[in-house]
Amino acid sequence: MLRNAFRLHRWGWIGYGVVLFASTYVQAGAFVQVAGTTAAGRAAFARSMTALAGQLSYILPRPFRLDTLDGYVQWRSYGPLALVVMIWAIAAAAGAVRGDEDKQLVDYWLAARVSRARLVASRLAAFGLAALLAAVLGVLGYLAGAAQYESVNLGGAAGKMLTLWLLMLTLFALCYLVAQFIASIRGAQAAGTAVVVVLYLLAVLGRTNHSFDGLSWVSPFTWYDATTVLAPGGSLDAAGVGLSVAVIALAGVLSVLAFARRDVRGPLFAFPQREVAAKEAAPSPLLGWPVARLLYRQRGIVAGWALITAAMAVYMVAIAHSVVDSAINLPGMREFLTHSSGGDPYRGFIAAFWFGIAQLLLAGFAVHLVSGWAADDTEGILTSVLSMPVHRWAVIGERAATALVGTAFVVAIGSLAAAGMAAGVGTTLDAAAVFRASWLLVPFVLTYSAVGAAVSADFPRAAVGLLGVLAFCSFLVYELAPLMKWPAWAANLSVQQLYGTPFLTGVFWNGLWGMLAVVVVGFGLATLLMQRREVGQ
Amino acid sequence: MNEAIRTEGLTKDYGLGRGLFDLDLEVRSGEVFGYLGPNGAGKTTTIRQLMGLAYPTRGSASVFGLDCHRQAVEVKRHVGYVPGEPPQFGGLRGREVIAYLGAMAGGVDPARVKSLCGRLQLDLSRRYREYSSGNKKKLLLVIAFMHRPELLILDEPTSGLDPLNQQEFYAMVREARQGGATVFLSSHVLSEVEHVCDRVGIIRTGRLVNISSMEQLHEIRVHRVEIEFAGDVPAEAIRRADGVDGVTVENHRVQCVVRGSFEPLMAAVARAHVVNLTSHEPSLEDTFLEYYSDPGKEEVAAAC
């Protein structure tokens, strides 16, 4: 049972293990590049980063000993990794409960006389093992990166690994418990996300204001942040470790009790269905039109990412003044914010932070769109569509048009939100530059979508994984190329590099042509592959 | 065009002896053709070739004279299809699935959809994920029938349907035939194809072994029968009855195998006091094993 359950996490631990390894490795190497090797330089760097950290508390923990490599890795790498592993824990828990039930694996196991308690324990143990392997890879990345420059803190790394592992397992156990209440896998994912995001926001409150410390101590993210053992002078927070273990055990026991009291594929509490007027409503007319019908089916994805993008745009514009005003007097930050921005630090901030984050968000949007196309294939919907008088090339054309329209919508909502917020707080944005940088996000997303379309046209089950790896490698190349002084052709392998910095420096035409070439080749290849392949196996 | 479906040497070789081999088949316009075979025999593989969802290793398939691969879109203008495995439309409501696929099919009359749903007692307001497997099958049947296609290709359409809805489905098939449509229906249940089919093709391990009329099919049909008597068992009369084999007697109970008609067995027990009689249709694979265990009968089948 444990072996079978662990097997279901194999791609998860490999994928996230690679991300953890790369993150700690890159940040360990980056520290020397950005902070220098002298004590004075590192102290100045730490001051500037500490000033910045207060404004980035939504993503980074409180800084501690940023004048050291170990402190920097703990803050810059292990900090955001909490967000990364959160996604894994949510998805894995919903899949372990509702995905397994949808695939009737649970029926099979229960029929094979596996008790419900043993099944829950096995799923927790299997994820624990997978998370441990990923966490070990994270430590190996730190060791490999840091050992090139200075002596490594093996004990501290083990301590941080322990807390990261406990964080993953705690979030998984909580989401596993939440999934007992909701019958569908998407509902379980949404409910798990809601719970984890609330816990995360509580931790963020604690980071920004000490008066919230009492409240934030219910959050596993706070327990995780509290361990600073990797940095010199840091400590392992025994209370946080103890609380994590207790929550894992409690959530496990409650999951067993809940699972024992509900039907397989049923929620913990089932209520008689009520008739509602909406159920009798006519189907949306959008379902009758090409492109509109696929947009309608993917409306949740488009609306969700539009909301996230708008919220992030509003937040970034809202904090622009305070971040810039507090950081501008620090020499390192002044250079960072005014470099290539014509001396305007606000432009520099918007370019570096907002459009940087927008690329990350929209790459996620592209992966999510492609996951829908791949699911259409594996769930038999493509077979149903192709049993109608529909050309195969039209399927790919519809996907391309959906990506185009959906991206334009998400980008427009994000830009309008940013512009509206800027007007509200009295920040003057260069409208032409915002427009330029915004519309170039459309070919940026289409580039990812085209690659995803090509992969999903022939290997739908691998599409999301491969596209995720591509997005990750693309960001990695973008980060590493200037640090490692890679040649331009290598740097241009990154989609981020092809996008360029249009807010500051105008359209990078070669990059734009490169993206358009990938779009044409990607969707063209997708059409060819779709034309040749067999469907419904 | 007198042929609705025609295949010539149609082969899909998956290796290791799996797939479909040298299928030569003609289905006439206006007939209901049963495509019978045990699990894994190649029924779905054949249907996927006809629907242009998979490509042949060699040979050809056509529907109403249109090549199933080069003219796949044209073919599907004439076809209604029920896949063997239901798709997963997740949170879409039944009526949304109908609207989505109906717009692609074209020419769907809402009154026709309403009528079909009424007959099959299908609630279109529910979300697809809330449907039982039987209701999913009903929705697929509505989708296949809703645009009144000239050819219905149905891959095990009654699996998951309760007996009442099976009867309604048989009625829908008969009506479609009366309306001039052709029906190609796969199944692994012999008794099912007897309800509606004019002819039956039998496929086994990827090869078409027999095409029969329904009368010829009765020769193949086998039943395991158990009869309980109040008094003496007319064992000798039963053993002498035509088409009855494997007779075993235990106390007042007889077990035997009946091929074809039941009349000789009924005549043999007519004078005895029968308390109980049960008849089971074995699986198609068992029927084949029974039937083809006699080489002479295989020759008969080949000659059909």
Side-chain angles (χ1 to χ4, degrees), chain A residues 340-341 345-357 359 437 478 499-505:
Chain A
S340 302
S341 64
Y346 299 107
R347 279 167 58 90
F349 178 83
I350 297 289
F353 287 88
W354 163 234
F355 282 105
I357 286 176
Q359 288 175 65
Y478 188 63
Y499 172 78
T501 52
F503 186 79
L504 296 174
T505 56

mmCIF file of all heavy atoms in Angstrom, chain A residues 340-341 345-357 359 437 478 499-505:
data_model
loop_
_atom_site.group_PDB
_atom_site.id
_atom_site.type_symbol
_atom_site.label_atom_id
_atom_site.label_comp_id
_atom_site.label_asym_id
_atom_site.label_seq_id
_atom_site.Cartn_x
_atom_site.Cartn_y
_atom_site.Cartn_z
ATOM 1 N N SER A 340 18.864 51.915 -16.012
ATOM 2 C CA SER A 340 18.067 51.710 -17.234
ATOM 3 C C SER A 340 16.676 52.331 -17.173
ATOM 4 O O SER A 340 15.851 52.067 -18.024
ATOM 5 C CB SER A 340 17.889 50.215 -17.548
ATOM 6 O OG SER A 340 19.124 49.617 -17.681
ATOM 7 N N SER A 341 16.366 53.087 -16.129
ATOM 8 C CA SER A 341 15.015 53.653 -16.063
ATOM 9 C C SER A 341 15.037 55.161 -16.239
ATOM 10 O O SER A 341 14.097 55.852 -15.816
ATOM 11 C CB SER A 341 14.359 53.295 -14.723
ATOM 12 O OG SER A 341 15.071 53.882 -13.657
ATOM 13 N N PRO A 345 13.114 56.187 -10.314
ATOM 14 C CA PRO A 345 13.063 54.939 -9.544
ATOM 15 C C PRO A 345 11.688 54.274 -9.569
ATOM 16 O O PRO A 345 11.580 53.059 -9.441
ATOM 17 C CB PRO A 345 13.425 55.391 -8.126
ATOM 18 C CG PRO A 345 13.093 56.845 -8.087
ATOM 19 C CD PRO A 345 13.330 57.367 -9.469
ATOM 20 N N TYR A 346 10.615 55.084 -9.743
ATOM 21 C CA TYR A 346 9.279 54.480 -9.784
ATOM 22 C C TYR A 346 9.123 53.609 -11.032
ATOM 23 O O TYR A 346 8.569 52.515 -10.996
ATOM 24 C CB TYR A 346 8.188 55.557 -9.750
ATOM 25 C CG TYR A 346 8.249 56.385 -8.494
ATOM 26 C CD1 TYR A 346 8.709 57.681 -8.533
ATOM 27 C CD2 TYR A 346 7.880 55.830 -7.271
ATOM 28 C CE1 TYR A 346 8.793 58.438 -7.373
ATOM 29 C CE2 TYR A 346 7.968 56.578 -6.107
ATOM 30 C CZ TYR A 346 8.424 57.882 -6.156
ATOM 31 O OH TYR A 346 8.510 58.600 -5.017
ATOM 32 N N ARG A 347 9.617 54.158 -12.150
ATOM 33 C CA ARG A 347 9.602 53.352 -13.389
ATOM 34 C C ARG A 347 10.406 52.081 -13.196
ATOM 35 O O ARG A 347 10.002 50.997 -13.641
ATOM 36 C CB ARG A 347 10.202 54.162 -14.549
ATOM 37 C CG ARG A 347 9.225 55.144 -15.186
ATOM 38 C CD ARG A 347 9.979 56.113 -16.102
ATOM 39 N NE ARG A 347 10.725 55.432 -17.150
ATOM 40 C CZ ARG A 347 10.230 55.132 -18.349
ATOM 41 N NH1 ARG A 347 8.984 55.445 -18.634
ATOM 42 N NH2 ARG A 347 10.967 54.531 -19.264
ATOM 43 N N GLY A 348 11.563 52.246 -12.529
ATOM 44 C CA GLY A 348 12.412 51.074 -12.292
ATOM 45 C C GLY A 348 11.702 50.040 -11.444
ATOM 46 O O GLY A 348 11.758 48.835 -11.708
ATOM 47 N N PHE A 349 10.980 50.517 -10.425
ATOM 48 C CA PHE A 349 10.265 49.588 -9.546
ATOM 49 C C PHE A 349 9.160 48.847 -10.303
ATOM 50 O O PHE A 349 9.033 47.623 -10.215
ATOM 51 C CB PHE A 349 9.656 50.360 -8.367
ATOM 52 C CG PHE A 349 8.871 49.484 -7.440
ATOM 53 C CD1 PHE A 349 9.501 48.750 -6.447
ATOM 54 C CD2 PHE A 349 7.497 49.356 -7.575
ATOM 55 C CE1 PHE A 349 8.773 47.928 -5.602
ATOM 56 C CE2 PHE A 349 6.764 48.535 -6.742
ATOM 57 C CZ PHE A 349 7.409 47.816 -5.752
ATOM 58 N N ILE A 350 8.366 49.625 -11.059
ATOM 59 C CA ILE A 350 7.272 49.004 -11.817
ATOM 60 C C ILE A 350 7.827 47.977 -12.800
ATOM 61 O O ILE A 350 7.307 46.865 -12.940
ATOM 62 C CB ILE A 350 6.471 50.079 -12.588
ATOM 63 C CG1 ILE A 350 5.819 51.058 -11.616
ATOM 64 C CG2 ILE A 350 5.419 49.436 -13.486
ATOM 65 C CD1 ILE A 350 4.676 50.522 -10.826
ATOM 66 N N ALA A 351 8.922 48.381 -13.466
ATOM 67 C CA ALA A 351 9.501 47.479 -14.476
ATOM 68 C C ALA A 351 10.024 46.204 -13.830
ATOM 69 O O ALA A 351 9.764 45.091 -14.295
ATOM 70 C CB ALA A 351 10.611 48.191 -15.232
ATOM 71 N N ALA A 352 10.776 46.389 -12.731
ATOM 72 C CA ALA A 352 11.451 45.232 -12.145
ATOM 73 C C ALA A 352 10.477 44.346 -11.380
ATOM 74 O O ALA A 352 10.573 43.120 -11.447
ATOM 75 C CB ALA A 352 12.564 45.710 -11.217
ATOM 76 N N PHE A 353 9.556 44.960 -10.660
ATOM 77 C CA PHE A 353 8.720 44.162 -9.775
ATOM 78 C C PHE A 353 7.377 43.796 -10.400
ATOM 79 O O PHE A 353 7.033 42.629 -10.475
ATOM 80 C CB PHE A 353 8.520 44.890 -8.440
ATOM 81 C CG PHE A 353 9.772 44.865 -7.618
ATOM 82 C CD1 PHE A 353 10.731 45.850 -7.759
ATOM 83 C CD2 PHE A 353 10.014 43.832 -6.734
ATOM 84 C CE1 PHE A 353 11.902 45.815 -7.018
ATOM 85 C CE2 PHE A 353 11.180 43.784 -6.001
ATOM 86 C CZ PHE A 353 12.128 44.790 -6.146
ATOM 87 N N TRP A 354 6.629 44.814 -10.865
ATOM 88 C CA TRP A 354 5.316 44.481 -11.379
ATOM 89 C C TRP A 354 5.405 43.642 -12.648
ATOM 90 O O TRP A 354 4.830 42.558 -12.726
ATOM 91 C CB TRP A 354 4.453 45.727 -11.597
ATOM 92 C CG TRP A 354 3.268 45.433 -12.491
ATOM 93 C CD1 TRP A 354 2.918 46.092 -13.620
ATOM 94 C CD2 TRP A 354 2.336 44.365 -12.346
ATOM 95 N NE1 TRP A 354 1.825 45.508 -14.189
ATOM 96 C CE2 TRP A 354 1.442 44.441 -13.420
ATOM 97 C CE3 TRP A 354 2.179 43.347 -11.416
ATOM 98 C CZ2 TRP A 354 0.404 43.542 -13.598
ATOM 99 C CZ3 TRP A 354 1.137 42.446 -11.591
ATOM 100 C CH2 TRP A 354 0.259 42.556 -12.669
ATOM 101 N N PHE A 355 6.153 44.106 -13.646
ATOM 102 C CA PHE A 355 6.171 43.328 -14.883
ATOM 103 C C PHE A 355 6.962 42.026 -14.739
ATOM 104 O O PHE A 355 6.744 41.085 -15.492
ATOM 105 C CB PHE A 355 6.660 44.189 -16.053
ATOM 106 C CG PHE A 355 5.582 45.099 -16.557
ATOM 107 C CD1 PHE A 355 5.604 46.456 -16.264
ATOM 108 C CD2 PHE A 355 4.513 44.596 -17.266
ATOM 109 C CE1 PHE A 355 4.578 47.296 -16.699
ATOM 110 C CE2 PHE A 355 3.482 45.420 -17.707
ATOM 111 C CZ PHE A 355 3.511 46.773 -17.421
ATOM 112 N N GLY A 356 7.853 41.990 -13.747
ATOM 113 C CA GLY A 356 8.518 40.712 -13.453
ATOM 114 C C GLY A 356 7.525 39.710 -12.893
ATOM 115 O O GLY A 356 7.460 38.552 -13.339
ATOM 116 N N ILE A 357 6.727 40.157 -11.943
ATOM 117 C CA ILE A 357 5.734 39.259 -11.344
ATOM 118 C C ILE A 357 4.638 38.915 -12.353
ATOM 119 O O ILE A 357 4.137 37.784 -12.395
ATOM 120 C CB ILE A 357 5.151 39.908 -10.074
ATOM 121 C CG1 ILE A 357 6.200 39.822 -8.978
ATOM 122 C CG2 ILE A 357 3.870 39.226 -9.634
ATOM 123 C CD1 ILE A 357 5.820 40.485 -7.695
ATOM 124 N N GLN A 359 4.972 38.462 -15.465
ATOM 125 C CA GLN A 359 5.443 37.356 -16.313
ATOM 126 C C GLN A 359 5.283 36.019 -15.597
ATOM 127 O O GLN A 359 4.854 35.028 -16.203
ATOM 128 C CB GLN A 359 6.920 37.570 -16.666
ATOM 129 C CG GLN A 359 7.153 38.700 -17.655
ATOM 130 C CD GLN A 359 8.631 38.937 -17.853
ATOM 131 O OE1 GLN A 359 9.344 38.091 -18.370
ATOM 132 N NE2 GLN A 359 9.096 40.087 -17.419
ATOM 133 N N ALA A 437 4.351 47.414 -22.559
ATOM 134 C CA ALA A 437 4.774 46.256 -21.767
ATOM 135 C C ALA A 437 3.619 45.269 -21.577
ATOM 136 O O ALA A 437 3.845 44.061 -21.465
ATOM 137 C CB ALA A 437 5.297 46.721 -20.411
ATOM 138 N N TYR A 478 17.040 33.063 -17.268
ATOM 139 C CA TYR A 478 16.934 34.527 -17.173
ATOM 140 C C TYR A 478 17.704 35.044 -15.960
ATOM 141 O O TYR A 478 18.355 36.088 -16.015
ATOM 142 C CB TYR A 478 15.460 34.903 -17.061
ATOM 143 C CG TYR A 478 15.190 36.384 -17.142
ATOM 144 C CD1 TYR A 478 15.482 37.107 -18.294
ATOM 145 C CD2 TYR A 478 14.636 37.065 -16.067
ATOM 146 C CE1 TYR A 478 15.226 38.463 -18.375
ATOM 147 C CE2 TYR A 478 14.377 38.422 -16.138
ATOM 148 C CZ TYR A 478 14.678 39.122 -17.290
ATOM 149 O OH TYR A 478 14.429 40.464 -17.369
ATOM 150 N N TYR A 499 11.038 38.486 -24.018
ATOM 151 C CA TYR A 499 10.084 39.546 -23.675
ATOM 152 C C TYR A 499 10.831 40.864 -23.439
ATOM 153 O O TYR A 499 10.392 41.934 -23.850
ATOM 154 C CB TYR A 499 9.296 39.133 -22.433
ATOM 155 C CG TYR A 499 8.403 40.212 -21.865
ATOM 156 C CD1 TYR A 499 7.184 40.512 -22.463
ATOM 157 C CD2 TYR A 499 8.777 40.922 -20.718
ATOM 158 C CE1 TYR A 499 6.354 41.501 -21.936
ATOM 159 C CE2 TYR A 499 7.959 41.906 -20.191
ATOM 160 C CZ TYR A 499 6.757 42.194 -20.789
ATOM 161 O OH TYR A 499 5.948 43.177 -20.268
ATOM 162 N N GLY A 500 11.991 40.753 -22.800
ATOM 163 C CA GLY A 500 12.829 41.933 -22.584
ATOM 164 C C GLY A 500 12.312 42.816 -21.463
ATOM 165 O O GLY A 500 11.655 42.343 -20.519
ATOM 166 N N THR A 501 12.607 44.099 -21.553
ATOM 167 C CA THR A 501 12.151 45.075 -20.552
ATOM 168 C C THR A 501 11.432 46.205 -21.287
ATOM 169 O O THR A 501 11.905 47.350 -21.307
ATOM 170 C CB THR A 501 13.337 45.630 -19.745
ATOM 171 O OG1 THR A 501 14.336 46.100 -20.672
ATOM 172 C CG2 THR A 501 13.952 44.582 -18.853
ATOM 173 N N PRO A 502 10.308 45.894 -21.906
ATOM 174 C CA PRO A 502 9.652 46.884 -22.770
ATOM 175 C C PRO A 502 9.178 48.126 -22.026
ATOM 176 O O PRO A 502 9.063 49.190 -22.622
ATOM 177 C CB PRO A 502 8.455 46.115 -23.351
ATOM 178 C CG PRO A 502 8.225 44.986 -22.422
ATOM 179 C CD PRO A 502 9.556 44.629 -21.869
ATOM 180 N N PHE A 503 8.930 48.000 -20.725
ATOM 181 C CA PHE A 503 8.478 49.171 -19.974
ATOM 182 C C PHE A 503 9.576 50.244 -19.937
ATOM 183 O O PHE A 503 9.286 51.442 -19.971
ATOM 184 C CB PHE A 503 8.101 48.738 -18.555
ATOM 185 C CG PHE A 503 7.475 49.837 -17.739
ATOM 186 C CD1 PHE A 503 6.144 50.172 -17.900
ATOM 187 C CD2 PHE A 503 8.234 50.555 -16.815
ATOM 188 C CE1 PHE A 503 5.563 51.192 -17.150
ATOM 189 C CE2 PHE A 503 7.661 51.572 -16.067
ATOM 190 C CZ PHE A 503 6.321 51.889 -16.240
ATOM 191 N N LEU A 504 10.819 49.783 -19.902
ATOM 192 C CA LEU A 504 11.930 50.726 -19.790
ATOM 193 C C LEU A 504 12.605 51.009 -21.122
ATOM 194 O O LEU A 504 12.951 52.160 -21.431
ATOM 195 C CB LEU A 504 12.997 50.163 -18.825
ATOM 196 C CG LEU A 504 12.572 49.973 -17.377
ATOM 197 C CD1 LEU A 504 13.687 49.292 -16.614
ATOM 198 C CD2 LEU A 504 12.225 51.316 -16.750
ATOM 199 N N THR A 505 12.798 49.961 -21.892
ATOM 200 C CA THR A 505 13.683 50.091 -23.060
ATOM 201 C C THR A 505 12.971 49.886 -24.391
ATOM 202 O O THR A 505 13.634 49.743 -25.424
ATOM 203 C CB THR A 505 14.832 49.074 -22.946
ATOM 204 O OG1 THR A 505 14.268 47.767 -22.812
ATOM 205 C CG2 THR A 505 15.697 49.370 -21.742
#
